[in-house]
Amino acid sequence: MMLSRRRLMGAGIVGAGVFGAMPAWARGASLTQHGGAVRTGFDEVSGTHIDLTVSEGMRVVEGRRGHTVAVNGSVPGPLLRLKEGTTVRLNVHNALTEDTSIHWHGLLVPFHLDGVPGVSFPGISPGASFTAEFPVRQAGTYWWHSHSNLQEQAGHYGPIVVDPIEPDPVQADRDYVMLLSEFTPMHPHAIMDKLKKGEGYFNYQQTSFTDDYPLEAGQRRMWGRMRMMATDILDVTGSTYTYLANGHGPQEGLEYLFNPGERVRIRVINGSAMSFFNVRIPGAKIQVVAADGLNVRPVPVQEFQIGTAETYDIVVEPRGEAMTIVAEAMDRSGMAVATLASRPGARAPVPALRDPPLLTMADMGMNHGGMDHGAKGDEMDHSQMDHSMPAKTTAPEPMESMDMSGMDMRDTSRLPPTVEVGPGIDMVAMNPVDRMGDPGIGLDTVPHRVLTYKDLVALKRNDDPRTPSRMLEIHLTGNMERYMWSFDGEKYSSVTDHPIRFAYDERVRVKLVNNTMMAHPIHLHGHFFELVNGAPEGFQPQKHTMIVQPGGYAQFDLTADEPGDWAFHCHLLYHMHSGMFQVVSVAQSGGAAGAAG
């Protein structure tokens, strides 16, 4: 069994420094010319001048071989260790045969350095280089990834840690990164092709005549009439993915060493293309101390769900000889595994995968307990509802028999006129409610405390106390059968001339309504926004990515103070690629319009 660890504090630093001093693979030579030697795990690069070389090759994970895009010869690519208050010069060299790019996810940078082809720059051509030089304005845990084509799925990503200029309020004896991702031998475009032809292609947990799911005959008929799957949790699953921690498969023995009595900080980054993970350390209490790079008041939990592109910093005090860190895919089709070990090779039991969860009435946007009876929900025939179906935290009332014939899940008259109705919409949430208090799909019945967005409180007071001057409502829309995804019913390709516009320094409340039965991690580039989660005045937590639970809504307050054009999209790679993407244009100071449009 392979042993690997990434001790970050006090570890030797691999300086990127002078490009010419790099080994062949880092200078852009074809990896296939060197035996396809893509390495697993990442080095660390730091300093004010850093070179990153994108190339391609083959790699093997637990016996499966596939094409990969590597940076500086490894997957994940190197950890960028930066220092708040300095200026960094990042040189990206493209040794691929197609365009590439790097987006510095979560870092506040000028928009033309944000690394999104077609929005902030044209991309990096084969054989060309691009330099992003900017002041490092913040501390915390972030990551980087390609925004070109589907390269992110193939391995083009890596972590970022920014050390604070002031004393770190999080005190720990050890400091590690746990970057979660996936490996598949299948080419990303083959995955996209299969999703377009059959939405359930990768779902090996579908209901059947002989399954053990706790569904009654009436409930099975209901799902059948809706032409939906109660187990449609993730589009791409463990049927093709091997889930990775720092590039290592679950059998490859990633270790984080500790001494008894030490406090260990783990920076958990979800750098996957399509996966939500439920993270827990059986037997340990976890303190969540930062979300998306920014410090929060410590929250003791025993499990948390991390959406694609989110980061959470946690602190644990391991006990015994070893403890297992489990990152279980949300649909429970596989897991990434690492070990907190008091000595090399020490192991703790790895728990079995839990039973797959089922979608509920709340995930359909039918929240009986939170219904707005002044809206069109009054048109529903409650006498025909199936109240036996389990509900999530936002729909706590028990439900008994339901006849779905009295409901129209595709009633587009419920949508506001800002939503373009067409073949790209096959579901409308009938009664979406605020689901900030939900722990995530499948975690509402576990017998321990799970993090929710309502638990997060900023550690420091936010710097903009203004009340938002307007509300902007955006609908998350899709057609699962055709694998079409969009905002307000419009795919990105059809709305590039109509960005979402904000005045400079405008304070806006944005309400995201999810009309689909999938959770979407929505990411805004170039900004942090405040979750409207009931936190004390001035202490709403700030994030750059927010999960919008299926059939519900979530809100954030935004101060649009970073001028330029910014990507705004679902961070599920194939959803973004299918159209759930938009441009947010923030006017220049003084009122000039953004460049887009």
Side-chain angles (χ1 to χ4, degrees):
M1 180 175 292
M2 182 168 63
L3 175 67
S4 176
R5 62 178 184 270
R6 286 289 178 268
R7 173 79 187 272
L8 300 181
M9 291 185 68
I13 295 174
V14 180
V18 182
F19 183 48
M22 287 184 169
W25 52 261
R27 294 200 300 270
S30 170
L31 288 167
T32 31
Q33 294 175 8
H34 297 271
V38 174
R39 295 173 293 117
T40 295
F42 48 80
D43 301 320
E44 178 176 319
V45 294
S46 63
T48 56
H49 289 69
I50 294 174
D51 288 279
L52 300 169
T53 300
V54 186
S55 41
E56 60 187 328
M58 302 296 288
R59 67 184 296 224
V60 177
V61 176
E62 297 189 352
R64 298 199 300 169
R65 187 168 186 264
H67 169 265
T68 194
V69 176
V71 177
N72 287 8
S74 68
V75 175
L79 163 68
L80 307 186
R81 190 118 201 175
L82 308 179
K83 179 72 174 180
E84 184 183 13
T86 63
T87 295
V88 65
R89 182 181 178 88
L90 296 158
N91 305 307
V92 183
H93 311 284
N94 184 7
L96 301 176
T97 56
E98 63 179 21
D99 285 7
T100 193
S101 59
I102 292 185
H103 163 57
W104 321 103
H105 186 101
L107 293 188
L108 298 172
V109 301
F111 82 94
H112 65 284
L113 303 178
D114 193 45
V116 183
V119 176
S120 52
F121 84 133
I124 308 171
S125 302
S129 297
F130 179 82
T131 297
E133 183 171 355
F134 53 84
V136 181
R137 300 160 52 187
Q138 65 210 88
T141 304
Y142 307 95
W143 63 296
W144 54 267
H145 61 85
S146 172
H147 236 288
S148 296
N149 215 332
L150 299 173
Q151 294 170 8
E152 183 186 328
Q153 175 76 91
H156 189 339
Y157 52 81
I160 300 174
V161 172
V162 183
D163 294 315
I165 196 170
E166 297 178 344
D168 196 326
V170 180
Q171 296 299 305
D173 300 295
R174 295 177 185 255
D175 190 342
Y176 294 110
V177 167
M178 185 175 184
L179 174 57
L180 302 171
S181 60
E182 323 108 336
F183 167 79
T184 171
M186 190 174 293
H187 194 281
H189 283 289
I191 292 177
M192 186 76 235
D193 183 62
K194 294 182 185 305
L195 289 171
K196 290 293 287 185
K197 291 176 179 173
E199 55 164 316
Y201 181 88
F202 296 99
N203 184 1
Y204 284 24
Q205 299 178 154
Q206 297 188 36
T207 55
S208 69
F209 183 71
T210 57
D211 66 53
D212 295 326
Y213 291 117
L215 290 170
E216 297 176 354
Q219 294 168 334
R220 293 174 186 273
R221 288 194 295 272
M222 177 193 73
W223 283 103
R225 279 194 295 270
M226 291 191 297
R227 291 175 291 165
M228 294 179 175
M229 294 179 287
T231 58
D232 190 5
I233 309 295
L234 293 174
D235 290 344
V236 192
T237 73
S239 64
T240 186
Y241 282 154
T242 298
Y243 296 105
L244 308 177
N246 292 0
H248 297 269
Q251 303 299 320
E252 294 180 331
L254 176 66
E255 290 182 339
Y256 301 102
L257 292 182
F258 72 94
N259 292 318
E262 288 184 330
R263 284 168 54 87
V264 179
R265 177 179 189 162
I266 305 174
R267 302 169 185 265
V268 184
I269 302 168
N270 187 344
S272 71
M274 289 294 288
S275 304
F276 287 60
F277 294 97
N278 297 327
V279 180
R280 69 190 196 277
I281 306 173
K285 184 169 288 187
I286 299 168
Q287 294 272 349
V288 176
V289 296
D292 286 1
L294 303 184
N295 295 318
V296 297
R297 296 177 186 174
V299 185
V301 298
Q302 289 166 287
E303 186 166 8
F304 63 92
Q305 186 170 98
I306 183 168
T308 305
E310 291 188 302
T311 75
Y312 284 109
D313 288 20
I314 61 174
V315 173
V316 296
E317 296 181 37
R319 293 180 288 104
E321 187 175 50
M323 306 189 88
T324 301
I325 308 174
V326 179
E328 187 179 50
M330 184 168 66
D331 70 336
R332 294 164 186 168
S333 61
M335 64 172 67
V337 173
T339 302
L340 285 160
S342 60
R343 60 171 177 79
R347 291 291 180 273
V350 177
L353 288 168
R354 295 173 290 189
D355 292 336
L358 295 172
L359 295 173
T360 69
M361 303 305 295
D363 302 320
M364 300 178 198
M366 298 179 184
N367 293 279
H368 187 74
M371 281 185 175
D372 176 5
H373 293 280
K376 292 202 173 190
D378 279 345
E379 297 173 11
M380 292 191 295
D381 181 359
H382 290 245
S383 65
Q384 299 181 38
M385 295 179 72
D386 180 357
H387 294 277
S388 65
M389 198 155 187
K392 295 179 71 68
T393 52
T394 44
E397 296 183 13
M399 296 186 175
E400 298 169 3
S401 67
M402 169 180 276
D403 181 356
M404 292 301 297
S405 62
M407 300 183 178
D408 183 1
M409 296 289 292
R410 297 171 175 83
D411 182 4
T412 54
S413 68
R414 297 176 182 276
L415 296 170
T418 53
V419 177
E420 182 73 22
V421 175
I425 298 178
D426 73 343
M427 176 187 158
V428 179
M430 299 179 71
N431 188 58
V433 299
D434 186 345
R435 300 191 70 182
M436 282 285 192
D438 276 35
I441 293 174
L443 295 182
D444 55 323
T445 57
V446 296
H448 51 247
R449 185 178 179 188
V450 182
L451 182 76
T452 77
Y453 281 161
K454 287 195 172 183
D455 295 322
L456 299 176
V457 179
L459 190 64
K460 294 174 58 178
R461 175 176 285 278
N462 296 319
D463 57 5
D464 190 348
R466 295 177 297 165
T467 300
S469 59
R470 69 177 171 112
M471 164 82 85
L472 174 66
E473 184 171 303
I474 299 172
H475 284 248
L476 282 53
T477 46
N479 182 325
M480 283 296 296
E481 291 187 44
R482 301 188 183 191
Y483 209 74
M484 300 168 68
W485 300 101
S486 56
F487 287 124
D488 287 339
E490 295 183 284
K491 292 176 62 176
Y492 174 60
S493 57
S494 63
V495 295
T496 50
D497 291 336
H498 303 92
I500 300 168
R501 296 184 183 276
F502 294 115
Y504 178 75
D505 209 31
E506 184 181 16
R507 181 83 165 159
V508 186
R509 176 160 295 181
V510 178
K511 180 178 181 179
L512 300 175
V513 182
N514 189 350
N515 288 283
T516 80
M517 291 187 67
M518 303 212 76
H520 297 281
I522 303 300
H523 174 49
L524 173 61
H525 289 221
H527 295 79
F528 283 86
F529 47 72
E530 299 173 23
L531 302 188
V532 180
N533 67 341
E537 184 275 327
F539 290 90
Q540 293 183 148
Q542 296 195 45
K543 294 181 94 270
H544 51 61
T545 304
M546 178 174 71
I547 300 172
V548 187
Q549 298 293 345
Y553 73 79
Q555 300 179 95
F556 63 80
D557 291 341
L558 172 70
T559 298
D561 56 359
E562 298 287 342
D565 297 329
W566 304 99
F568 176 69
H569 61 93
C570 176
H571 221 287
L572 296 176
L573 184 63
Y574 300 102
H575 289 192
M576 179 182 70
H577 197 68
S578 299
M580 192 176 275
F581 186 103
Q582 247 296 7
V583 173
V584 164
S585 186
V586 178
Q588 298 290 331
S589 176

